[in-house]
Structure formats: structure tokens, C-alpha cells
Amino acid sequence: MKITEDVIRLFAGSATVAANGKSLANKGSFISLSINQEANLLFGLCQGSGKTPYACSVDFAEPDKPIARCSCPSRQIPCKHAVGLLFCRLHNKTFAVAEIRESVVVKREKLKARAEKKADFAQKAAEENAAGNTPAPLTKQRASAAVKKCRAQLTGLELAEKILHNIVKGGLHSIDRHNEKLYAEQVKELGNYYIVGVQAALTDLLTAAAEGQKSQDFTQAVRQLSYLHALLQKAQAHMQNRISDLESFPELGSSALQAMLHSTIEERMGTAWKLSELAQHGLMLQNTKLIQLAFRVYEDEAKKEFVDESVWLSLTDRQIYLSKNFRPFKALKYIRAEDSVFLLIEPQELFIYPGDKNPRIRWDAATRREITAEDLVEAQAAGQVDFAAVLREVKNQLRAPLADKNPFVALKVAKLGQDDAGRCYVFDSQDTVIPLIPGQFGHLLRRLSREQAEGQVLVCRFAQNNESLLYGEPVALITDSAVIRFAY
């Protein structure tokens, strides 16, 4: 694997870890640097604050998934010592050829066996889907257990509905510090009913109502209340159908299954999907190519976690997907943060979670390479040329109570316009116009020239303002020579 500064930064997962590792390499803290005969394992000794140096290594047995190991007490993975090894390699320091330690050989064999098991499962799932076979049927015992869980979820949904009813009855203005605490204790009980999504949505409502008390603006709280009402209604109907289907065993119905696979209902409820389940239901693509268009980190106060969100364009099916890395506040030291990626990603298997326009994706193994001119030509083919059709599709999605209110769309720009007030617009070949409202990095948009934008593909995140004006917030411009990001 070619080691570059971008590769190291992506591997480190944190700018602080990358900087500390680089510092170790520059100070000459490594008293031993070694590489195996196959040149896919770097290992060495790094002098720390104690008498005994730390034994660290970076294993490239799977080039796309390097594994860091270190004897230091840090719980950060990878640690600064492993990252420092990569900087030593990048700076062309001398690595002596040496034999791999027996402990590493054993760990490699275990990883290989695990990877082969995953590959066998993925291949079997792909063959079953290609042949039109259905997943392995439920047993009577598994169906009974699933019914029991569904009934628990239904009980939780009924409890959530009572909490919501009491909030509405008392009025949003009644949620002061004391009442917010009482409601929060009730919402906490929902954690026993496998509906963490509903629990988080109620917490968001309480937070929005408390903020509304301060500003005397309950707009966001009312929106959240409407969303919760729709979610509880849809979720209860869905769980009733699910129970009905399972209780008809062995003649299972399909109404609940179709709802699960073609809507966000389970995702909104907080269902934790297994990759094996997604593969069995045909929600998996093989040999795909992805380009990251945008990246951001935001805080989900309701779920007490940070979310690393990436926007991806698939060159395989020309769809825009989202990936999310969840980092609970209590486990920040143990979960590596994601970062911007400027390489083309080629997952072996791409798993797609049920959703609407921009579903969430995930993958385990993938290779990385530089983006070529041919890749950019493929990416530009994703641009939609009929803006009127785009606007209709986005408006229809915004009307759906549980749909994402900020879908991403790639637009083929025929003309770029700007009025006297500096507001920007894009036009298609039929002169259908879409207004643009700059986001956090709007100053970059204003620096674009007509020559740069016209004839290119602009990826926008759609939204509505308080006057119901539908607009696009630019996140990336795909030209025939580069991907220019406005959100990174």
C-alpha cells in the first residue's frame, strides 16, 4: 500500500493523534524500525516515558484495513506510536528486514479465518439473491421470540404516545425545568422497549420545548411534535402488521417486510440492523466505486453521541448515499473518528440500510486509489438535467412526515445566475431555476466563476426556509478535473 500523508491522516482518525505520531517520528523516538520480507508489516520499538520501549506495529495484511498494535497503555486505537511508524516510512527512514513475531502470525491467521467466513457468507447471500431465493425460513421458536419482542416494542410505543399526549395536553409552554426533568424520567423508561429512535425523538422534543421557553419561539418544537405524532402512528401500525405476519407462521405475510425494506420506519424506531440481514434481503451491492462529496461532524444531544456523517456518490448506480459513524460520549476514547476522504473508495460489499432518497450505507473491506479523469466523467453522469422533475420529487418527499427533510441531489448546471443582492441561482437547459443559499462555507461558492460552474454538476442539500422557499445548499461541484467541496 502506498503511504501518503492523506492515508496516515485517515488511518489516525484524529488530527491530534496524527500530529503526535509525526512528532515522535521527527524527534527520533524510534530506536528500532523493521519490516517483514513481504513488506506488508511495519514494526518497531518506540521509547516512551518509561524504561521499557513500546513495541508497536502496523499490519497491512489487508491493505485497505491496516491494523495497529502496541504495548503502550493507551486506549486510543491507533495510538501515536503506530501512527509514528507510518511517518517514519513516509520520511524514508531505514527499516531493517526481520522475521514476524509468532504472536502476530497467530493474530493474522485468526483474522484470515474471520475474513474467509465473512466472504463465504457474502458469496452465499449474493448467490441466493441472484437465484431469487428467499432467506432461510424462520423456525417456530424464532417466530415466537420475534412476536415477543414486537409486543414489547408495541407496549413501548403506547407508553410513548401517553407521554406525548400529556405534553400536548399541558402545552409546550408548560415544559419548564421541573416538568422537563419529570418527562425525561418517563422517557428514560422507553429504553427497555427496543425503540431507542422514539426515545431520542421525545428527548429532542423536550429539548426543543425548553429552548422555545427561552426564545418564546416554539417553531422547532411544533415540527418535532408533528414528526413524533406521525412516527408513533406509523410505527404502531407497522408493529401490528409485523405481529400479524409472524403469528401466521409458517405462512408468513409480506406487508411488514415490504415496509421494512422500502421505508425508514425501522430506522426511525432505532432498529439495529445486522449486515447479514441486509445481505439476505438483497440490500447489498458488490464491487462499487464511491467518491466522498462532503463530510461533517455533529452532536446528537438526545442520543449522547457525536455523528461523523459523509455524503457519497456511487459511480456504480449514480446514487447519493450517506454513511454515519456513531461515537457515544462515554466511549470517545475507544471509537476512531472518521475524517474527510479525497480518494476513490472501492468496497467489496456495500450494505444499504432501508431508507428513502439517500439511504445510509456501510462497508467492511475496501480498497483506495486516486480519483482519475475517467472517474470524474462517470460522476458527472449522475447530474440530473430536468430541474422541474427534481423539484417535484423533492417536494413530494418533504410532504412525507417521516422522510428526510434535507435530501441531496446532483444537478447538471446549464447556467449560473446572480442578482444585484449577490444571491445565486442555477438554471437547467429549459431555464427552470433553483435558488441557492450558501451554507457554512458560502464564501467559496461566491468565488466560483461562470466558466467553472456552467456545464458542471452541482450537488445540493435541499431545504425549506420559514417562508416555504425551496432552495439548494451547495455541498460540492463536480467538474471534469476535480471535486470542489463546500462542506468538508
Side-chain angles (χ1 to χ4, degrees), residues 279-299:
Q280 285 179 337
H281 292 306
L283 298 175
M284 181 184 73
L285 298 176
Q286 292 185 309
N287 302 318
T288 53
K289 295 187 289 185
L290 301 172
I291 292 178
Q292 191 186 64
L293 302 174
F295 175 79
R296 67 168 180 153
V297 179
Y298 63 90
E299 182 178 334

Side-chain angles (χ1 to χ4, degrees), residues 198-405:
V198 175
Q199 185 182 24
L202 273 167
T203 302
D204 283 340
L205 174 61
L206 295 177
T207 302
E211 289 298 321
Q213 286 278 25
K214 298 175 184 177
S215 63
Q216 289 302 301
D217 181 2
F218 292 91
T219 303
Q220 183 56 40
V222 170
R223 288 175 180 168
Q224 185 66 15
L225 193 150
S226 299
Y227 165 77
L228 256 169
H229 175 73
L231 174 59
L232 292 175
Q233 295 298 311
K234 297 278 187 181
Q236 289 185 76
H238 171 66
M239 295 315 301
Q240 292 284 9
N241 287 338
R242 185 104 170 89
I243 292 172
S244 177
D245 286 353
L246 290 167
E247 286 183 337
S248 66
F249 180 85
E251 296 182 3
L252 295 176
S254 62
S255 58
L257 176 62
Q258 294 303 313
M260 281 197 300
L261 300 183
H262 303 289
S263 74
T264 60
I265 184 63
E266 290 276 347
E267 192 89 332
R268 300 295 188 187
M269 289 174 58
T271 298
W273 288 88
K274 295 180 180 179
L275 298 187
S276 58
E277 293 174 324
L278 298 177
Q280 285 179 337
H281 292 306
L283 298 175
M284 181 184 73
L285 298 176
Q286 292 185 309
N287 302 318
T288 53
K289 295 187 289 185
L290 301 172
I291 292 178
Q292 191 186 64
L293 302 174
F295 175 79
R296 67 168 180 153
V297 179
Y298 63 90
E299 182 178 334
D300 189 332
E301 182 60 36
K303 295 183 180 180
K304 305 297 181 185
E305 64 186 8
F306 287 109
V307 182
D308 307 327
E309 181 184 78
S310 294
V311 182
W312 302 91
L313 174 63
S314 168
L315 305 188
T316 308
D317 58 6
R318 300 176 182 174
Q319 298 297 311
I320 296 177
Y321 296 105
L322 302 178
S323 67
K324 296 184 179 182
N325 179 43
F326 304 99
R327 295 182 289 129
F329 295 162
K330 294 182 179 180
L332 289 180
K333 291 184 178 180
Y334 316 114
I335 301 177
R336 194 178 75 176
E338 297 293 336
D339 201 350
S340 295
V341 179
F342 298 95
L343 301 172
L344 184 133
I345 309 296
E346 296 182 296
Q348 296 175 9
E349 289 96 23
L350 182 70
F351 299 92
I352 305 172
Y353 291 87
D356 36 38
K357 188 168 182 58
N358 307 124
R360 184 161 62 95
I361 57 173
R362 181 182 164 184
W363 63 89
D364 279 339
T367 57
R368 296 173 173 83
R369 63 171 173 81
E370 297 292 334
I371 298 174
T372 66
E374 290 76 15
D375 296 326
L376 293 173
V377 170
E378 289 186 59
Q380 287 194 313
Q384 298 194 44
V385 298
D386 187 350
F387 288 6
V390 168
L391 292 172
R392 285 195 299 271
E393 182 181 5
V394 171
K395 287 176 181 177
N396 287 336
Q397 176 160 333
L398 294 180
R399 292 189 188 102
L402 299 185
D404 183 7
K405 303 305 181 185

